[in-house]
């Protein structure tokens, strides 16, 4: 308990106490992708094109555009110059003439892609536990010719037919408890099942931390984009507690009246929320 208390910063404003989570701000994969993108914009052949949003953060996208970055949604649209691959990865690219590739795929996402490829080569029916429409999942599926089945929830797992061998990987941002529930169902769907845990430890840590935080607060403020899978997972966990939860992306969204009756407020962020934005939000909370 003492150790847990020490890991938090306590701040007081009026009567409301704020507990800021220890694991907050950019994760290493997002930091790395941003670093690659900024360097690419400075020195790589122009135009510097980005295949989809580099990370799920509107402010960063704006910064890239202001520095001359161009966003495209299909690699075939790429002109000669540079093409930056987003942190979430991509399916294999078609042959591109005079296009220099800067790969900002997070190494942990690469790990999922490699695991899926290896299982596929060994004859397993690959199953990805994740969100069908998420860029990361599309990228993983693409690595094995879109032959993987994507399971979003327990119901979808129940609908899967019987296979001889099933190889399971997860989208990095999934929740471990949900993954375990789905695995239980999948075990009945094959004579042999191999599970490769490809969850991102940094995401899992935040999910654990919000669960702990919820025991101490009256409500929780989650900082991040509504497009971010790991941010949405934090919101989902908070909602289960039935305590109020606010998802905000900027200080402007913070309204005093929202926190009526909240004595202790928890603050946590998704992995693509920049530190400077978190600071602005903390300042805004102080001003209230
Ligand atoms: S959340 Fe994890 S997997 Fe996703 S970019 Fe960050 S470090 Fe990589």
């Amino acid at each position: 308990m003492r150790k847990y208390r020490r890991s938090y910063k306590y701040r007081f404003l009026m009567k409301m106490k704020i507990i800021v989570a220890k694991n907050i701000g950019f994760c290493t994969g997002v930091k790395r992708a941003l670093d690659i993108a900024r360097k690419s914009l400075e020195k790589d052949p122009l135009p510097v094109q980005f295949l989809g949003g580099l990370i799920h953060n509107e402010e960063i996208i704006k910064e890239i555009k202001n520095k001359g970055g161009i966003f495209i949604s299909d690699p075939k649209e790429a002109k000669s110059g540079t093409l930056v691959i987003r942190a979430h990865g991509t399916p294999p690219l078609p042959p591109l003439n005079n296009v220099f590739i800067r790969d900002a795929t997070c190494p942990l996402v690469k790990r999922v892609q490699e695991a899926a490829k290896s299982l596929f080569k060994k004859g397993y029916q690959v199953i990805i536990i994740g969100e069908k429409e998420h860029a990361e999942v599309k990228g993983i599926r693409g690595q094995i010719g879109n032959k993987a089945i994507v399971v979003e929830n327990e119901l979808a797992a129940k609908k899967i037919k019987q296979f001889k061998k099933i190889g399971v990987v997860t989208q990095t941002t999934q929740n471990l408890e949900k993954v375990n529930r789905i695995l239980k169902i999948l075990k009945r769907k094959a004579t042999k099942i191999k599970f490769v845990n490809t969850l991102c430890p940094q995401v899992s840590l935040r999910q654990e931390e919000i669960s702990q935080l919820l025991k101490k607060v009256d409500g929780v403020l989650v900082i991040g984009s509504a497009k971010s899978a790991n941010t949405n997972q934090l919101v989902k966990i908070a909602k289960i507690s039935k305590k109020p939860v606010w998802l905000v992306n900027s200080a402007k969204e913070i309204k005093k009246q929202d926190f009526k009756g909240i004595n202790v407020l928890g603050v946590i962020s998704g992995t693509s929320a920049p530190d400077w934005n978190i600071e602005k939000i903390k300042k805004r909370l102080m001003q209230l």
Side-chain angles (χ1 to χ4, degrees):
M1 185 69 179
R2 269 178 74 195
K3 192 171 170 234
Y4 180 67
R5 274 177 176 269
R6 270 206 303 265
S7 67
Y8 288 98
K9 292 173 198 163
Y10 285 79
R11 289 175 193 256
F12 297 87
L13 56 114
M14 306 282 281
K15 279 181 190 163
M16 187 165 79
K17 184 163 88 174
I18 299 178
I19 304 179
V20 182
K22 189 180 159 205
N23 298 288
I24 202 158
F26 284 159
C27 62
T28 53
V30 165
K31 265 187 211 148
R32 180 180 172 272
L34 185 55
D35 197 37
I36 290 173
R38 282 176 175 158
K39 281 186 186 145
S40 180
L41 284 160
E42 275 170 22
K43 58 175 192 159
D44 284 342
L46 298 173
V48 179
Q49 301 148 104
F50 291 79
L51 188 54
L54 178 77
I55 59 166
H56 284 133
N57 183 279
E58 290 77 2
E59 238 186 289
I60 298 297
I61 302 297
K62 222 170 164 186
E63 178 195 319
I64 292 171
K65 281 185 184 167
N66 288 341
K67 287 183 177 169
I70 296 164
F71 286 90
I72 58 171
S73 51
D74 187 330
K76 287 182 202 139
E77 293 167 31
K79 298 188 179 105
S80 22
T82 304
L83 184 64
V84 181
I85 307 302
R86 62 194 298 174
H88 314 95
T90 178
L93 296 172
L96 298 168
N97 284 333
N98 300 320
V99 179
F100 175 67
I101 308 293
R102 268 279 169 220
D103 193 357
T105 308
C106 172
L108 293 176
V109 174
K110 278 257 190 237
R111 200 179 131 234
V112 195
Q113 295 180 349
E114 291 309 317
K117 281 199 267 184
S118 159
L119 289 167
F120 185 67
K121 269 189 208 153
K122 288 175 189 157
Y124 286 89
Q125 169 57 55
V126 176
I127 292 183
I128 306 165
I129 301 178
E131 297 160 43
K132 222 174 247 172
E133 293 308 316
H134 194 281
E136 180 188 321
V137 173
K138 286 183 179 172
I140 303 162
R141 282 191 83 213
Q143 299 297 326
I144 52 171
N146 293 322
K147 296 273 167 50
I149 297 171
V150 183
V151 167
E152 292 196 334
N153 48 42
E154 288 97 313
L155 190 68
K158 280 179 191 159
K159 286 183 184 163
I160 280 183
K161 63 170 190 165
Q162 211 65 28
F163 289 98
K164 224 173 168 183
K165 292 197 317 182
I166 281 178
V168 188
V169 294
T170 66
Q171 182 182 350
T172 52
T173 48
Q174 289 290 297
N175 173 264
L176 180 62
E177 283 173 29
K178 179 185 157 192
V179 168
N180 283 334
R181 287 197 301 273
I182 292 177
L183 278 175
K184 228 174 168 181
I185 300 166
L186 292 179
K187 275 179 188 159
R188 301 197 292 264
K189 300 285 183 180
T191 24
K192 188 174 176 190
I193 181 161
K194 188 167 164 87
F195 170 56
V196 186
N197 185 346
T198 49
L199 293 172
C200 168
Q202 296 178 57
V203 170
S204 301
L205 209 61
R206 288 180 201 220
Q207 292 179 357
E208 276 165 39
E209 192 170 16
I210 195 170
S211 300
Q212 292 300 322
L213 199 55
L214 282 159
K215 292 178 191 164
K216 301 179 155 241
V217 298
D218 304 311
V220 68
L221 186 79
V222 179
I223 305 170
S225 165
K227 288 184 193 160
S228 153
N230 75 83
T231 307
N232 285 325
Q233 285 289 346
L234 294 175
V235 173
K236 263 189 207 167
I237 295 170
K239 277 184 178 167
I240 295 168
S241 75
K242 303 258 190 298
K243 289 184 179 175
V245 49
W246 298 270
L247 172 64
V248 294
N249 208 10
S250 73
K252 281 181 245 157
E253 295 167 51
I254 310 261
K255 292 182 199 91
K256 190 176 177 179
Q257 61 269 29
D258 286 344
F259 305 107
K260 248 187 185 173
I262 301 290
N263 293 318
V264 188
L265 177 73
V267 177
I268 195 161
S269 87
T271 57
S272 45
D275 291 345
W276 62 87
N277 207 12
I278 294 166
E279 281 313 312
K280 275 189 210 162
I281 288 171
K282 284 202 275 185
K283 253 188 209 158
R284 172 77 186 127
L285 286 167
M286 299 290 197
Q287 283 166 2
L288 290 182

